[in-house]
Amino acid sequence: MHARSDPEPLSTLSFDNRFTRELPADPVSENFRRQVNGACYSRVLPTPVSAPTLVACSRETAQLLGLDEAACATPEFAEVFAGNRLLSAMDPHATVYGGHQFGNWAGQLGDGRAINLGEVVNAAGQRLVLQLKGAGPTPYSRSADGLAVLRSSVREFLCSEAIHHLGIPTTRALSLVLTGEQVLRDMFYDGRPELEPGAVVCRVSPSFTRFGHFQIYAARGDLALLRRFTDYTLRTDFPHLGEPGPAAYCAWFREVCERTARLMAHWMRVGFVHGVMNTDNMSVLGETIDYGPYGWLEDYDPDWTPNTTDAGGRRYRFANQPGIAQWNLAQLAGAIQPLVGEVEPLQEAVTAYAEHYLREWNAMLAAKLGLGDLGRAGDDALVAELFEVLRLGETDMTIFFRNLAQVDQDPSPGAGEDRLAPLLPAYYDPRAPDARTRERTLAWLDRYRQRLAAEGVPAAVRRQRMNAANPKYVLRNYLAQLAIDRASEGDFDGVHELLDVLRRPYDEQPDRERYAHKRPEWARSRPGCSMLSCSS
């Protein structure tokens, strides 16, 4: 039995659970796995755990909710955000949705290990959903247990905040709590499961609505519920579009396309690979959602994916992400087409997505290069050669772009190969680039300097632009794994230190240089340091 009370540290949280108030509930109250029809959610309670222990809390996300750090350090906070205790106004529930997984329709999916506690309205009037991930089974858990383990929870907690501080739209993470339970997981899918420490992350977002929420109602032919859910989404999350109707549905879809295009450009800007871009992992808010087997490009490889499940087809590889997003948008368009009544405006929006993406990407790439724009003759060739040069050697994308700002745009006569010196730390080969790579890179640098000269951008302005677009610190998988290793031994300082570094990814942090190093050789093939499985 869950006690319901409002302990003083959390009494400032003001709930207004519009989702459960305005949308139809599953009439079945028992928590067992089943198909749920004619409803948008099922009420379900988190599973109590034996020993909730706070590992980490994001002070920025807490502030969004009106909570201070002292409130987050209380035992009551750990109890609530492990799922052991409910505040009086909470209305815990899991939502139903469907989705395409790796390009195939998967039918009903739903919140299989996510339980929404309710919607908080903060002092600024912003609506924020509190969602526990790993808090136990729901009717949508299928054959799973609804739980999560420490390693995946550390990665979700840290990456949610890291992506936010990079300036990329994302769901947020409030807290990471150890449960005191052991959870059985087959990390490598090799038939040798092991017990691992369990954990719960509290995720926060104005909405966790996914493309798949609309797909499930359309697939079932339940147009009344599709319309009701879509109208709710427009009124709650897109009120600026006016009253729902065919015109508003089209305007909403165009906005979803534009938000998604900007999100993809941001991912490509920093070298982030999501790893599981199924339609049920796409937010209509254009936020990064569901941090599973993600990763950052280390050596620049457009075909790299962090997901072992996708190792064969590489559907969700780095270079494919913008195109996959457009494919996913086409599936969303198909789902809402019955509400619009015609196909053409939705097709136009899907087509226009590519234009939005290209515009966003060109603007971001120009900033990465310290340029005002990329609209001059020869710019396309300059960019194409840059990425070919990156592929020639095993070149760390993050370090290359960050250090490119240090290259002197007006080298002294006879500088020769010294021009390459700032970029040498980006190469994984300890002997640095081979002769062919050196030759092409130096030739590219000469063309790049000519382009800078043609624009006449002052060196200080160029470096400022570049350092604001090219992070020095990203959540490399090996860094996350080192923090996980320490947390598994009861030492949470690694999580705290890494979170603090990632708060200022674009700043020089002289005492934190070790967090900016490229992947060490020992991490090349160690589990958790390169590719990851979907196991959690």
Side-chain angles (χ1 to χ4, degrees):
M1 179 66 68
H2 288 78
R4 282 186 179 266
S5 63
D6 294 342
E8 180 59 32
L10 303 179
S11 62
T12 57
L13 294 177
S14 176
F15 286 85
D16 176 29
N17 301 315
R18 186 173 180 178
F19 188 94
T20 55
R21 190 173 67 247
E22 295 190 7
L23 292 171
D26 176 5
V28 179
S29 59
E30 291 82 4
N31 186 1
F32 63 93
R33 294 153 178 86
R34 61 188 182 275
Q35 293 289 305
V36 175
N37 292 284
C40 295
Y41 64 92
S42 302
R43 287 190 166 91
V44 61
L45 296 174
T47 300
V49 299
S50 61
T53 303
L54 182 68
V55 174
C57 180
S58 162
R59 63 172 180 257
E60 296 87 355
T61 306
Q63 288 166 3
L64 272 180
L65 298 167
L67 297 175
D68 59 25
E69 290 187 74
C72 299
T74 61
E76 292 86 355
F77 182 91
E79 289 280 338
V80 168
F81 293 106
N84 275 18
R85 184 171 184 171
L86 296 176
L87 303 183
S88 60
M90 286 178 172
D91 193 0
H93 62 280
T95 68
V96 58
Y97 52 79
H100 281 84
Q101 298 194 323
F102 298 96
N104 300 305
W105 176 245
Q108 176 180 293
L109 297 168
D111 291 325
R113 56 179 174 167
I115 296 176
N116 302 284
L117 296 176
E119 302 162 60
V120 169
V121 178
N122 66 14
Q126 183 182 22
R127 183 176 299 272
L128 296 163
V129 181
L130 305 182
Q131 182 183 89
L132 299 185
K133 182 176 180 179
T138 76
Y140 312 104
S141 296
R142 293 176 288 174
S143 60
D145 59 15
L147 304 175
V149 297
L150 179 63
R151 58 180 164 83
S152 62
S153 300
V154 167
R155 289 173 51 79
E156 170 117 19
F157 174 81
L158 287 175
C159 200
S160 300
E161 293 305 285
I163 288 286
H164 166 75
H165 291 296
L166 285 166
I168 302 173
T170 177
T171 59
R172 303 295 300 277
L174 171 65
S175 58
L176 168 60
V177 180
L178 269 174
T179 64
E181 310 288 343
Q182 293 291 302
V183 178
L184 192 65
R185 282 293 181 270
D186 187 351
M187 179 177 177
F188 303 107
Y189 298 120
D190 60 1
R192 293 185 292 178
E194 296 181 2
L195 289 171
E196 301 183 48
V200 177
V201 172
C202 179
R203 310 196 287 192
V204 179
S205 176
S207 171
F208 287 92
T209 299
R210 306 148 185 269
F211 292 8
H213 277 102
F214 305 88
Q215 287 184 281
I216 191 65
Y217 308 129
R220 289 172 169 172
D222 193 341
L223 298 189
L225 193 49
L226 173 64
R227 186 181 304 278
R228 187 170 175 181
F229 187 88
T230 305
D231 289 356
Y232 168 85
T233 299
L234 266 66
R235 290 186 175 120
T236 305
D237 299 316
F238 298 82
H240 56 282
L241 297 178
E243 271 301 293
Y249 299 145
C250 289
W252 169 71
F253 182 67
R254 286 194 297 271
E255 184 169 333
V256 173
C257 289
E258 291 171 12
R259 291 186 183 207
T260 303
R262 182 166 181 78
L263 179 66
M264 292 302 107
H266 269 303
W267 286 3
M268 304 301 282
R269 171 177 67 85
V270 300
F272 177 75
V273 192
H274 184 278
V276 199
M277 286 182 65
N278 297 328
T279 57
D280 57 294
N281 290 338
M282 299 291 292
S283 163
V284 297
L285 296 185
E287 292 185 339
T288 314
I289 190 172
D290 280 352
Y291 292 93
Y294 63 79
W296 264 266
L297 284 192
E298 296 190 292
D299 55 294
Y300 180 76
D301 178 2
D303 293 328
W304 184 73
T305 174
N307 190 351
T308 56
T309 306
D310 196 24
R314 297 184 182 271
R315 177 180 175 84
Y316 299 140
R317 63 191 181 274
F318 175 67
N320 226 24
Q321 292 183 131
I324 287 293
Q326 187 176 36
W327 189 92
N328 289 342
L329 286 163
Q331 310 317 305
L332 176 59
I336 66 168
Q337 188 274 327
L339 304 182
V340 174
E342 52 184 332
V343 174
E344 289 75 13
L346 300 174
Q347 287 179 331
E348 290 171 1
V350 172
T351 300
Y353 158 87
E355 299 169 8
H356 294 307
Y357 170 75
L358 189 60
R359 183 169 60 250
E360 295 284 358
W361 169 238
N362 280 338
M364 292 182 193
L365 184 55
K368 287 178 75 67
L369 293 171
L371 300 171
D373 60 56
L374 282 172
R376 300 193 181 199
D379 282 355
D380 288 347
L382 180 73
V383 167
E385 178 64 6
L386 165 62
F387 288 108
E388 284 301 314
V389 162
L390 287 175
R391 294 187 71 170
L392 283 176
E394 199 176 11
T395 313
D396 189 286
M397 177 179 172
T398 300
I399 296 175
F400 182 95
F401 274 105
R402 181 73 180 193
N403 287 13
L404 186 60
Q406 300 174 21
V407 171
D408 191 346
Q409 64 190 63
D410 298 306
S412 59
E417 290 207 356
D418 290 347
R419 293 171 293 164
L420 199 59
L423 301 178
L424 294 181
Y427 295 101
Y428 280 87
D429 188 333
R431 298 163 298 182
D434 59 25
R436 177 169 174 263
T437 302
R438 281 176 177 270
E439 181 181 352
R440 283 187 66 177
T441 304
L442 288 167
W444 181 83
L445 284 173
D446 287 341
R447 292 172 63 183
Y448 173 53
R449 288 193 182 94
Q450 292 169 12
R451 175 63 175 84
L452 291 170
E455 185 164 304
V457 58
V461 172
R462 165 191 160 238
R463 289 194 177 98
Q464 183 179 33
R465 283 177 182 169
M466 295 178 74
N467 286 342
N470 296 312
K472 180 164 185 173
Y473 301 95
V474 296
L475 184 58
R476 298 172 183 270
N477 278 342
Y478 88 88
L479 292 174
Q481 187 59 48
L482 290 175
I484 291 165
D485 291 344
R486 291 175 65 178
S488 298
E489 298 297 323
D491 176 2
F492 305 145
D493 285 349
V495 175
H496 299 156
E497 290 166 10
L498 194 47
L499 176 62
D500 198 43
V501 170
L502 296 170
R503 285 187 167 108
R504 297 187 292 126
Y506 299 101
D507 294 351
E508 294 294 331
Q509 301 181 51
D511 57 335
R512 304 282 183 66
E513 283 290 326
R514 65 190 183 280
Y515 289 103
H517 292 168
K518 58 181 176 277
R519 180 195 62 222
E521 190 60 30
W522 60 260
R524 184 180 291 270
S525 57
R526 184 188 164 187
C529 295
S530 181
M531 294 184 74
L532 302 115
S533 74
C534 291
S535 169
S536 61

